[in-house]
Amino acid sequence: MNVRIEQVGKAQEELVLIRCRAVTDEVREIAVFVKSRAGSLTGTSDERQYEIPVTDVCYIESVDGKTFLYTRDRVYETAYRIYELEELLKPKHFLRIAKPMLVNLMKIQSIQPAFNGRFTAVLSSGEKIIISRNYVKALKAALKGE
Amino acid sequence: MDFKRFLVNKLILFFMLSTLITAAVSLIGLLFDGDTRFGYKEMLTPIEYAALCLLPTLVTFSKRELSPKALLARKALMLVLIEGVILFIAFTSDVIDTGRVEVVLTIVGSVLVIFVLVHLFMWFKDAAEAKKLNRELEAFQKHHA
């Protein structure tokens, strides 16, 4: 696949156009990547596809090889793997807080102590998720901007 | 948790246990056998007890994160094992009068109290850390809003 970058003027709309013979998984992946960079993720719920603004996502969880995006009131499945989203969403203040979980730091309302050195993140949606001990150091560093 | 951090936590626990066991042994001794005098050798007893009590805590080690239920189950097992270790020491000791039910019950109760106190101290430590994290989180969110 050839890649061509064309610069446009300020008055024109920025657009990424993929010209392909068939919409393969690879093409879909590229589309998802571009959308995530633009601030939204593609997710499916009730067999319908949605564009979910990254800022609406509270946390992301991987369950049995599937990845789910949790917003305040809905759950969407996404084609992305958790490690791919970790890299993609780092600039959007997402942080890994457990092996199968990423959290949007902007959506944490408070942090409470949990049993045995772990912490619970209380999200703005009211949900509570566990911050694994292994990721507490990374959380501290992220909050300090390191 | 990696094994190195697990060992560091156990070392902290060891010092905490040594202090609490010293207090418990002194109180139980004063309560049931206040006139007895010990030599320097006996001063090592709380340290030995603390070291022995650390062995059952190995049941809580896991490389992967335990679920709250699994952790609770392992903690319960740990308590039972610690009670077993302490009672074994008590029943094989010539100094401790295990023929008296109140002595045995006090030992069992003391282990339970120390177990609860250790976890309470750890919870206070985590609560202080959570308070600090909340302050940093607030600053982070204000900065990036």
Side-chain angles (χ1 to χ4, degrees):
Chain A
M1 195 186 282
N2 287 324
V3 177
R4 205 168 66 195
I5 299 171
E6 192 183 310
Q7 225 170 343
V8 291
K10 276 184 183 173
Q12 280 179 280
E13 190 192 9
E14 284 185 319
L15 172 78
V16 177
L17 173 72
I18 304 169
R19 293 173 65 200
C20 55
R21 288 191 189 95
V23 184
T24 60
D25 284 348
E26 194 186 11
V27 171
R28 277 191 205 98
E29 264 183 45
I30 295 166
V32 169
F33 174 79
V34 172
K35 282 171 189 167
S36 70
R37 294 296 296 177
S40 71
L41 291 166
T42 306
T44 53
S45 176
D46 301 327
E47 293 172 5
R48 283 184 63 188
Q49 212 168 40
Y50 296 89
E51 288 304 316
I52 308 123
V54 170
T55 48
D56 284 359
V57 178
C58 294
Y59 69 101
I60 300 164
E61 190 180 25
S62 168
V63 182
D64 297 329
K66 291 178 180 175
T67 311
F68 298 94
L69 312 170
Y70 295 80
T71 61
R72 180 176 271 273
D73 42 25
R74 285 192 88 153
V75 183
Y76 303 89
E77 193 181 332
T78 181
Y80 257 79
R81 298 269 177 243
I82 200 105
Y83 62 88
E84 292 170 327
L85 288 171
E86 185 182 15
E87 280 307 307
L88 269 175
L89 300 176
K90 216 176 256 178
K92 309 272 182 199
H93 314 307
F94 275 76
L95 183 80
R96 193 179 277 252
I97 54 156
K99 207 174 174 189
M101 204 179 277
L102 301 177
V103 71
N104 183 349
L105 293 173
M106 303 303 281
K107 294 285 183 188
I108 301 179
Q109 207 167 54
S110 68
I111 296 167
Q112 294 170 350
F115 198 41
N116 212 38
R118 294 189 287 194
F119 292 95
T120 302
V122 182
L123 305 177
S124 54
S125 60
E127 271 193 270
K128 289 180 177 182
I129 52 175
I130 292 283
I131 303 169
S132 163
R133 273 186 302 194
N134 296 337
Y135 295 93
V136 171
K137 202 175 163 186
L139 172 67
K140 285 177 186 171
L143 293 180
K144 283 178 186 160
E146 291 167 7
Chain B
M1 189 192 323
D2 59 78
F3 199 64
K4 191 184 163 192
R5 203 185 317 166
F6 182 78
L7 284 179
V8 171
N9 285 346
K10 292 303 152 200
L11 195 68
I12 296 167
L13 182 62
F14 169 75
F15 289 118
M16 224 188 281
L17 282 174
S18 300
T19 310
L20 291 169
I21 290 170
T22 306
V25 168
S26 306
L27 287 173
I28 295 170
L30 283 170
L31 198 67
F32 294 106
D33 207 5
D35 297 328
T36 303
R37 294 286 174 266
F38 292 112
Y40 288 113
K41 196 185 154 204
E42 278 73 25
M43 286 177 77
L44 288 172
T45 310
I47 296 169
E48 288 166 8
Y49 284 14
L52 284 169
C53 287
L54 279 186
L55 293 176
T57 66
L58 292 173
V59 296
T60 58
F61 177 72
S62 172
K63 277 194 173 174
R64 60 182 180 82
E65 195 76 18
L66 292 169
S67 68
K69 269 186 186 174
L71 189 66
L72 208 66
R74 289 201 193 194
K75 288 273 179 186
L77 175 66
M78 188 178 95
L79 176 63
V80 170
L81 290 172
I82 292 173
E83 292 277 12
V85 167
I86 295 296
L87 286 176
F88 175 78
I89 295 168
F91 277 95
T92 51
S93 161
D94 300 328
V95 188
I96 304 167
D97 184 10
T98 45
R100 292 162 69 187
V101 182
E102 63 268 32
V103 172
V104 177
L105 288 177
T106 309
I107 291 169
V108 171
S110 304
V111 171
L112 188 66
V113 168
I114 290 173
F115 184 84
V116 171
L117 280 176
V118 164
H119 285 87
L120 204 64
F121 290 155
M122 286 176 169
W123 192 87
F124 279 131
K125 182 184 149 282
D126 289 345
E129 208 173 330
K131 206 174 164 184
K132 195 177 167 220
L133 281 172
N134 278 316
R135 277 200 304 268
E136 286 169 357
L137 176 72
E138 204 185 328
F140 178 90
Q141 289 175 339
K142 265 185 192 165
H143 184 258
H144 292 97

PDB file of all heavy atoms in Angstrom, chain A residues 24-54:
ATOM      1  N   THR A  24     -10.325  -4.766   4.274  1.00  0.00           N
ATOM      2  CA  THR A  24      -9.770  -5.896   5.035  1.00  0.00           C
ATOM      3  C   THR A  24      -9.579  -5.494   6.502  1.00  0.00           C
ATOM      4  O   THR A  24      -9.759  -4.323   6.864  1.00  0.00           O
ATOM      5  CB  THR A  24      -8.401  -6.304   4.459  1.00  0.00           C
ATOM      6  OG1 THR A  24      -7.539  -5.162   4.566  1.00  0.00           O
ATOM      7  CG2 THR A  24      -8.506  -6.748   3.013  1.00  0.00           C
ATOM      8  N   ASP A  25      -9.151  -6.474   7.318  1.00  0.00           N
ATOM      9  CA  ASP A  25      -8.871  -6.190   8.732  1.00  0.00           C
ATOM     10  C   ASP A  25      -7.766  -5.141   8.867  1.00  0.00           C
ATOM     11  O   ASP A  25      -7.806  -4.291   9.757  1.00  0.00           O
ATOM     12  CB  ASP A  25      -8.446  -7.468   9.468  1.00  0.00           C
ATOM     13  CG  ASP A  25      -9.632  -8.361   9.767  1.00  0.00           C
ATOM     14  OD1 ASP A  25     -10.768  -7.868   9.606  1.00  0.00           O
ATOM     15  OD2 ASP A  25      -9.423  -9.526  10.148  1.00  0.00           O
ATOM     16  N   GLU A  26      -6.784  -5.246   7.960  1.00  0.00           N
ATOM     17  CA  GLU A  26      -5.664  -4.296   7.979  1.00  0.00           C
ATOM     18  C   GLU A  26      -6.174  -2.869   7.745  1.00  0.00           C
ATOM     19  O   GLU A  26      -5.771  -1.932   8.449  1.00  0.00           O
ATOM     20  CB  GLU A  26      -4.678  -4.703   6.880  1.00  0.00           C
ATOM     21  CG  GLU A  26      -3.333  -4.034   6.997  1.00  0.00           C
ATOM     22  CD  GLU A  26      -2.445  -4.364   5.795  1.00  0.00           C
ATOM     23  OE1 GLU A  26      -2.920  -4.930   4.799  1.00  0.00           O
ATOM     24  OE2 GLU A  26      -1.253  -4.015   5.877  1.00  0.00           O
ATOM     25  N   VAL A  27      -7.078  -2.730   6.802  1.00  0.00           N
ATOM     26  CA  VAL A  27      -7.648  -1.410   6.491  1.00  0.00           C
ATOM     27  C   VAL A  27      -8.451  -0.893   7.690  1.00  0.00           C
ATOM     28  O   VAL A  27      -8.345   0.272   8.075  1.00  0.00           O
ATOM     29  CB  VAL A  27      -8.539  -1.497   5.218  1.00  0.00           C
ATOM     30  CG1 VAL A  27      -9.316  -0.208   5.012  1.00  0.00           C
ATOM     31  CG2 VAL A  27      -7.681  -1.817   4.009  1.00  0.00           C
ATOM     32  N   ARG A  28      -9.211  -1.807   8.285  1.00  0.00           N
ATOM     33  CA  ARG A  28     -10.000  -1.405   9.460  1.00  0.00           C
ATOM     34  C   ARG A  28      -9.084  -0.937  10.585  1.00  0.00           C
ATOM     35  O   ARG A  28      -9.365   0.043  11.254  1.00  0.00           O
ATOM     36  CB  ARG A  28     -10.854  -2.582   9.947  1.00  0.00           C
ATOM     37  CG  ARG A  28     -12.146  -2.721   9.171  1.00  0.00           C
ATOM     38  CD  ARG A  28     -13.106  -3.700   9.817  1.00  0.00           C
ATOM     39  NE  ARG A  28     -13.983  -4.228   8.793  1.00  0.00           N
ATOM     40  CZ  ARG A  28     -13.817  -5.383   8.174  1.00  0.00           C
ATOM     41  NH1 ARG A  28     -12.821  -6.164   8.520  1.00  0.00           N
ATOM     42  NH2 ARG A  28     -14.648  -5.787   7.246  1.00  0.00           N
ATOM     43  N   GLU A  29      -7.978  -1.683  10.788  1.00  0.00           N
ATOM     44  CA  GLU A  29      -7.015  -1.315  11.833  1.00  0.00           C
ATOM     45  C   GLU A  29      -6.460   0.084  11.607  1.00  0.00           C
ATOM     46  O   GLU A  29      -6.335   0.885  12.537  1.00  0.00           O
ATOM     47  CB  GLU A  29      -5.849  -2.313  11.872  1.00  0.00           C
ATOM     48  CG  GLU A  29      -6.024  -3.394  12.913  1.00  0.00           C
ATOM     49  CD  GLU A  29      -4.838  -4.325  12.981  1.00  0.00           C
ATOM     50  OE1 GLU A  29      -3.699  -3.835  12.981  1.00  0.00           O
ATOM     51  OE2 GLU A  29      -5.060  -5.544  13.010  1.00  0.00           O
ATOM     52  N   ILE A  30      -6.128   0.356  10.353  1.00  0.00           N
ATOM     53  CA  ILE A  30      -5.587   1.692  10.028  1.00  0.00           C
ATOM     54  C   ILE A  30      -6.644   2.763  10.331  1.00  0.00           C
ATOM     55  O   ILE A  30      -6.346   3.804  10.919  1.00  0.00           O
ATOM     56  CB  ILE A  30      -5.131   1.753   8.545  1.00  0.00           C
ATOM     57  CG1 ILE A  30      -3.955   0.786   8.328  1.00  0.00           C
ATOM     58  CG2 ILE A  30      -4.732   3.180   8.151  1.00  0.00           C
ATOM     59  CD1 ILE A  30      -3.635   0.516   6.873  1.00  0.00           C
ATOM     60  N   ALA A  31      -7.880   2.466   9.959  1.00  0.00           N
ATOM     61  CA  ALA A  31      -8.970   3.424  10.198  1.00  0.00           C
ATOM     62  C   ALA A  31      -9.149   3.676  11.697  1.00  0.00           C
ATOM     63  O   ALA A  31      -9.302   4.824  12.131  1.00  0.00           O
ATOM     64  CB  ALA A  31     -10.262   2.894   9.591  1.00  0.00           C
ATOM     65  N   VAL A  32      -9.101   2.581  12.475  1.00  0.00           N
ATOM     66  CA  VAL A  32      -9.260   2.712  13.929  1.00  0.00           C
ATOM     67  C   VAL A  32      -8.119   3.545  14.509  1.00  0.00           C
ATOM     68  O   VAL A  32      -8.331   4.407  15.368  1.00  0.00           O
ATOM     69  CB  VAL A  32      -9.322   1.302  14.598  1.00  0.00           C
ATOM     70  CG1 VAL A  32      -9.215   1.418  16.108  1.00  0.00           C
ATOM     71  CG2 VAL A  32     -10.611   0.608  14.225  1.00  0.00           C
ATOM     72  N   PHE A  33      -6.915   3.286  13.995  1.00  0.00           N
ATOM     73  CA  PHE A  33      -5.748   4.028  14.482  1.00  0.00           C
ATOM     74  C   PHE A  33      -5.909   5.529  14.202  1.00  0.00           C
ATOM     75  O   PHE A  33      -5.713   6.361  15.091  1.00  0.00           O
ATOM     76  CB  PHE A  33      -4.469   3.496  13.804  1.00  0.00           C
ATOM     77  CG  PHE A  33      -3.247   4.286  14.146  1.00  0.00           C
ATOM     78  CD1 PHE A  33      -2.610   4.097  15.360  1.00  0.00           C
ATOM     79  CD2 PHE A  33      -2.738   5.240  13.268  1.00  0.00           C
ATOM     80  CE1 PHE A  33      -1.496   4.833  15.693  1.00  0.00           C
ATOM     81  CE2 PHE A  33      -1.617   5.981  13.593  1.00  0.00           C
ATOM     82  CZ  PHE A  33      -0.997   5.780  14.812  1.00  0.00           C
ATOM     83  N   VAL A  34      -6.298   5.851  12.982  1.00  0.00           N
ATOM     84  CA  VAL A  34      -6.449   7.267  12.605  1.00  0.00           C
ATOM     85  C   VAL A  34      -7.517   7.935  13.470  1.00  0.00           C
ATOM     86  O   VAL A  34      -7.326   9.042  13.981  1.00  0.00           O
ATOM     87  CB  VAL A  34      -6.786   7.385  11.096  1.00  0.00           C
ATOM     88  CG1 VAL A  34      -7.132   8.823  10.732  1.00  0.00           C
ATOM     89  CG2 VAL A  34      -5.630   6.883  10.255  1.00  0.00           C
ATOM     90  N   LYS A  35      -8.628   7.218  13.664  1.00  0.00           N
ATOM     91  CA  LYS A  35      -9.721   7.782  14.472  1.00  0.00           C
ATOM     92  C   LYS A  35      -9.284   8.007  15.912  1.00  0.00           C
ATOM     93  O   LYS A  35      -9.628   9.000  16.543  1.00  0.00           O
ATOM     94  CB  LYS A  35     -10.939   6.863  14.427  1.00  0.00           C
ATOM     95  CG  LYS A  35     -11.735   7.003  13.140  1.00  0.00           C
ATOM     96  CD  LYS A  35     -12.780   5.929  13.064  1.00  0.00           C
ATOM     97  CE  LYS A  35     -13.442   5.919  11.696  1.00  0.00           C
ATOM     98  NZ  LYS A  35     -14.224   4.703  11.495  1.00  0.00           N
ATOM     99  N   SER A  36      -8.519   7.030  16.453  1.00  0.00           N
ATOM    100  CA  SER A  36      -8.077   7.171  17.850  1.00  0.00           C
ATOM    101  C   SER A  36      -7.140   8.360  18.003  1.00  0.00           C
ATOM    102  O   SER A  36      -7.176   9.066  19.004  1.00  0.00           O
ATOM    103  CB  SER A  36      -7.409   5.894  18.331  1.00  0.00           C
ATOM    104  OG  SER A  36      -6.164   5.720  17.692  1.00  0.00           O
ATOM    105  N   ARG A  37      -6.313   8.583  16.961  1.00  0.00           N
ATOM    106  CA  ARG A  37      -5.399   9.738  17.014  1.00  0.00           C
ATOM    107  C   ARG A  37      -6.204  11.028  16.949  1.00  0.00           C
ATOM    108  O   ARG A  37      -5.816  12.050  17.512  1.00  0.00           O
ATOM    109  CB  ARG A  37      -4.397   9.709  15.847  1.00  0.00           C
ATOM    110  CG  ARG A  37      -3.423   8.558  15.886  1.00  0.00           C
ATOM    111  CD  ARG A  37      -2.503   8.593  17.061  1.00  0.00           C
ATOM    112  NE  ARG A  37      -1.620   9.751  17.059  1.00  0.00           N
ATOM    113  CZ  ARG A  37      -0.757  10.035  18.012  1.00  0.00           C
ATOM    114  NH1 ARG A  37      -0.688   9.252  19.062  1.00  0.00           N
ATOM    115  NH2 ARG A  37       0.020  11.077  17.940  1.00  0.00           N
ATOM    116  N   ALA A  38      -7.326  10.961  16.259  1.00  0.00           N
ATOM    117  CA  ALA A  38      -8.166  12.153  16.131  1.00  0.00           C
ATOM    118  C   ALA A  38      -9.035  12.365  17.365  1.00  0.00           C
ATOM    119  O   ALA A  38      -9.724  13.371  17.477  1.00  0.00           O
ATOM    120  CB  ALA A  38      -9.033  12.025  14.885  1.00  0.00           C
ATOM    121  N   GLY A  39      -9.041  11.400  18.263  1.00  0.00           N
ATOM    122  CA  GLY A  39      -9.788  11.576  19.512  1.00  0.00           C
ATOM    123  C   GLY A  39     -11.023  10.737  19.643  1.00  0.00           C
ATOM    124  O   GLY A  39     -11.850  10.981  20.510  1.00  0.00           O
ATOM    125  N   SER A  40     -11.164   9.725  18.761  1.00  0.00           N
ATOM    126  CA  SER A  40     -12.312   8.837  18.952  1.00  0.00           C
ATOM    127  C   SER A  40     -11.924   7.394  18.663  1.00  0.00           C
ATOM    128  O   SER A  40     -10.937   7.131  17.976  1.00  0.00           O
ATOM    129  CB  SER A  40     -13.479   9.266  18.055  1.00  0.00           C
ATOM    130  OG  SER A  40     -13.192   8.994  16.715  1.00  0.00           O
ATOM    131  N   LEU A  41     -12.705   6.484  19.208  1.00  0.00           N
ATOM    132  CA  LEU A  41     -12.453   5.055  19.004  1.00  0.00           C
ATOM    133  C   LEU A  41     -13.713   4.422  18.439  1.00  0.00           C
ATOM    134  O   LEU A  41     -14.818   4.850  18.745  1.00  0.00           O
ATOM    135  CB  LEU A  41     -12.119   4.379  20.337  1.00  0.00           C
ATOM    136  CG  LEU A  41     -10.796   4.737  21.006  1.00  0.00           C
ATOM    137  CD1 LEU A  41     -10.793   4.247  22.440  1.00  0.00           C
ATOM    138  CD2 LEU A  41      -9.631   4.129  20.249  1.00  0.00           C
ATOM    139  N   THR A  42     -13.516   3.399  17.625  1.00  0.00           N
ATOM    140  CA  THR A  42     -14.666   2.695  17.072  1.00  0.00           C
ATOM    141  C   THR A  42     -14.997   1.520  17.987  1.00  0.00           C
ATOM    142  O   THR A  42     -14.119   0.750  18.358  1.00  0.00           O
ATOM    143  CB  THR A  42     -14.364   2.173  15.648  1.00  0.00           C
ATOM    144  OG1 THR A  42     -13.914   3.268  14.871  1.00  0.00           O
ATOM    145  CG2 THR A  42     -15.582   1.559  15.002  1.00  0.00           C
ATOM    146  N   GLY A  43     -16.265   1.443  18.349  1.00  0.00           N
ATOM    147  CA  GLY A  43     -16.692   0.337  19.203  1.00  0.00           C
ATOM    148  C   GLY A  43     -18.033  -0.184  18.744  1.00  0.00           C
ATOM    149  O   GLY A  43     -18.798   0.531  18.078  1.00  0.00           O
ATOM    150  N   THR A  44     -18.319  -1.442  19.060  1.00  0.00           N
ATOM    151  CA  THR A  44     -19.620  -1.990  18.697  1.00  0.00           C
ATOM    152  C   THR A  44     -20.421  -2.311  19.948  1.00  0.00           C
ATOM    153  O   THR A  44     -19.866  -2.731  20.970  1.00  0.00           O
ATOM    154  CB  THR A  44     -19.484  -3.276  17.843  1.00  0.00           C
ATOM    155  OG1 THR A  44     -18.624  -4.176  18.541  1.00  0.00           O
ATOM    156  CG2 THR A  44     -18.936  -3.011  16.476  1.00  0.00           C
ATOM    157  N   SER A  45     -21.693  -2.066  19.825  1.00  0.00           N
ATOM    158  CA  SER A  45     -22.615  -2.392  20.916  1.00  0.00           C
ATOM    159  C   SER A  45     -23.947  -2.752  20.274  1.00  0.00           C
ATOM    160  O   SER A  45     -24.404  -2.031  19.367  1.00  0.00           O
ATOM    161  CB  SER A  45     -22.770  -1.181  21.839  1.00  0.00           C
ATOM    162  OG  SER A  45     -23.716  -1.448  22.830  1.00  0.00           O
ATOM    163  N   ASP A  46     -24.542  -3.847  20.685  1.00  0.00           N
ATOM    164  CA  ASP A  46     -25.797  -4.335  20.097  1.00  0.00           C
ATOM    165  C   ASP A  46     -25.696  -4.416  18.572  1.00  0.00           C
ATOM    166  O   ASP A  46     -26.619  -3.985  17.850  1.00  0.00           O
ATOM    167  CB  ASP A  46     -26.977  -3.422  20.498  1.00  0.00           C
ATOM    168  CG  ASP A  46     -27.162  -3.355  21.997  1.00  0.00           C
ATOM    169  OD1 ASP A  46     -26.885  -4.380  22.658  1.00  0.00           O
ATOM    170  OD2 ASP A  46     -27.538  -2.281  22.503  1.00  0.00           O
ATOM    171  N   GLU A  47     -24.560  -4.945  18.107  1.00  0.00           N
ATOM    172  CA  GLU A  47     -24.296  -5.155  16.672  1.00  0.00           C
ATOM    173  C   GLU A  47     -24.303  -3.869  15.859  1.00  0.00           C
ATOM    174  O   GLU A  47     -24.452  -3.890  14.635  1.00  0.00           O
ATOM    175  CB  GLU A  47     -25.284  -6.173  16.092  1.00  0.00           C
ATOM    176  CG  GLU A  47     -25.059  -7.565  16.662  1.00  0.00           C
ATOM    177  CD  GLU A  47     -26.112  -8.574  16.267  1.00  0.00           C
ATOM    178  OE1 GLU A  47     -26.992  -8.232  15.448  1.00  0.00           O
ATOM    179  OE2 GLU A  47     -26.055  -9.680  16.810  1.00  0.00           O
ATOM    180  N   ARG A  48     -24.175  -2.731  16.523  1.00  0.00           N
ATOM    181  CA  ARG A  48     -24.077  -1.455  15.801  1.00  0.00           C
ATOM    182  C   ARG A  48     -22.733  -0.830  16.100  1.00  0.00           C
ATOM    183  O   ARG A  48     -22.192  -0.997  17.200  1.00  0.00           O
ATOM    184  CB  ARG A  48     -25.201  -0.499  16.234  1.00  0.00           C
ATOM    185  CG  ARG A  48     -26.533  -0.854  15.616  1.00  0.00           C
ATOM    186  CD  ARG A  48     -27.572   0.170  15.989  1.00  0.00           C
ATOM    187  NE  ARG A  48     -27.263   1.501  15.473  1.00  0.00           N
ATOM    188  CZ  ARG A  48     -27.941   2.596  15.800  1.00  0.00           C
ATOM    189  NH1 ARG A  48     -28.950   2.514  16.631  1.00  0.00           N
ATOM    190  NH2 ARG A  48     -27.607   3.773  15.292  1.00  0.00           N
ATOM    191  N   GLN A  49     -22.208  -0.120  15.103  1.00  0.00           N
ATOM    192  CA  GLN A  49     -20.899   0.496  15.278  1.00  0.00           C
ATOM    193  C   GLN A  49     -21.055   1.963  15.716  1.00  0.00           C
ATOM    194  O   GLN A  49     -21.930   2.663  15.223  1.00  0.00           O
ATOM    195  CB  GLN A  49     -20.146   0.434  13.955  1.00  0.00           C
ATOM    196  CG  GLN A  49     -18.660   0.302  14.155  1.00  0.00           C
ATOM    197  CD  GLN A  49     -17.939  -0.055  12.874  1.00  0.00           C
ATOM    198  OE1 GLN A  49     -18.281   0.455  11.810  1.00  0.00           O
ATOM    199  NE2 GLN A  49     -16.942  -0.901  12.977  1.00  0.00           N
ATOM    200  N   TYR A  50     -20.207   2.355  16.641  1.00  0.00           N
ATOM    201  CA  TYR A  50     -20.266   3.732  17.159  1.00  0.00           C
ATOM    202  C   TYR A  50     -18.873   4.353  17.153  1.00  0.00           C
ATOM    203  O   TYR A  50     -17.872   3.651  17.279  1.00  0.00           O
ATOM    204  CB  TYR A  50     -20.773   3.738  18.604  1.00  0.00           C
ATOM    205  CG  TYR A  50     -22.183   3.245  18.774  1.00  0.00           C
ATOM    206  CD1 TYR A  50     -22.444   1.890  18.988  1.00  0.00           C
ATOM    207  CD2 TYR A  50     -23.271   4.121  18.735  1.00  0.00           C
ATOM    208  CE1 TYR A  50     -23.735   1.418  19.160  1.00  0.00           C
ATOM    209  CE2 TYR A  50     -24.567   3.663  18.912  1.00  0.00           C
ATOM    210  CZ  TYR A  50     -24.790   2.305  19.123  1.00  0.00           C
ATOM    211  OH  TYR A  50     -26.078   1.839  19.290  1.00  0.00           O
ATOM    212  N   GLU A  51     -18.856   5.662  17.036  1.00  0.00           N
ATOM    213  CA  GLU A  51     -17.616   6.419  17.226  1.00  0.00           C
ATOM    214  C   GLU A  51     -17.674   6.994  18.631  1.00  0.00           C
ATOM    215  O   GLU A  51     -18.553   7.803  18.940  1.00  0.00           O
ATOM    216  CB  GLU A  51     -17.519   7.564  16.206  1.00  0.00           C
ATOM    217  CG  GLU A  51     -17.238   7.111  14.784  1.00  0.00           C
ATOM    218  CD  GLU A  51     -15.979   6.282  14.662  1.00  0.00           C
ATOM    219  OE1 GLU A  51     -14.962   6.660  15.261  1.00  0.00           O
ATOM    220  OE2 GLU A  51     -16.029   5.235  13.996  1.00  0.00           O
ATOM    221  N   ILE A  52     -16.778   6.559  19.483  1.00  0.00           N
ATOM    222  CA  ILE A  52     -16.835   7.002  20.884  1.00  0.00           C
ATOM    223  C   ILE A  52     -15.700   7.985  21.146  1.00  0.00           C
ATOM    224  O   ILE A  52     -14.535   7.632  20.964  1.00  0.00           O
ATOM    225  CB  ILE A  52     -16.715   5.799  21.849  1.00  0.00           C
ATOM    226  CG1 ILE A  52     -17.734   4.722  21.472  1.00  0.00           C
ATOM    227  CG2 ILE A  52     -16.889   6.207  23.300  1.00  0.00           C
ATOM    228  CD1 ILE A  52     -17.122   3.403  21.196  1.00  0.00           C
ATOM    229  N   PRO A  53     -16.030   9.208  21.557  1.00  0.00           N
ATOM    230  CA  PRO A  53     -14.949  10.147  21.898  1.00  0.00           C
ATOM    231  C   PRO A  53     -14.088   9.567  23.032  1.00  0.00           C
ATOM    232  O   PRO A  53     -14.644   9.061  24.019  1.00  0.00           O
ATOM    233  CB  PRO A  53     -15.687  11.410  22.355  1.00  0.00           C
ATOM    234  CG  PRO A  53     -17.070  11.260  21.843  1.00  0.00           C
ATOM    235  CD  PRO A  53     -17.348   9.793  21.769  1.00  0.00           C
ATOM    236  N   VAL A  54     -12.782   9.648  22.861  1.00  0.00           N
ATOM    237  CA  VAL A  54     -11.861   9.090  23.869  1.00  0.00           C
ATOM    238  C   VAL A  54     -12.136   9.686  25.250  1.00  0.00           C
ATOM    239  O   VAL A  54     -12.048   8.997  26.271  1.00  0.00           O
ATOM    240  CB  VAL A  54     -10.395   9.335  23.425  1.00  0.00           C
ATOM    241  CG1 VAL A  54      -9.427   9.008  24.544  1.00  0.00           C
ATOM    242  CG2 VAL A  54     -10.071   8.499  22.205  1.00  0.00           C
TER     243      VAL A  54
END
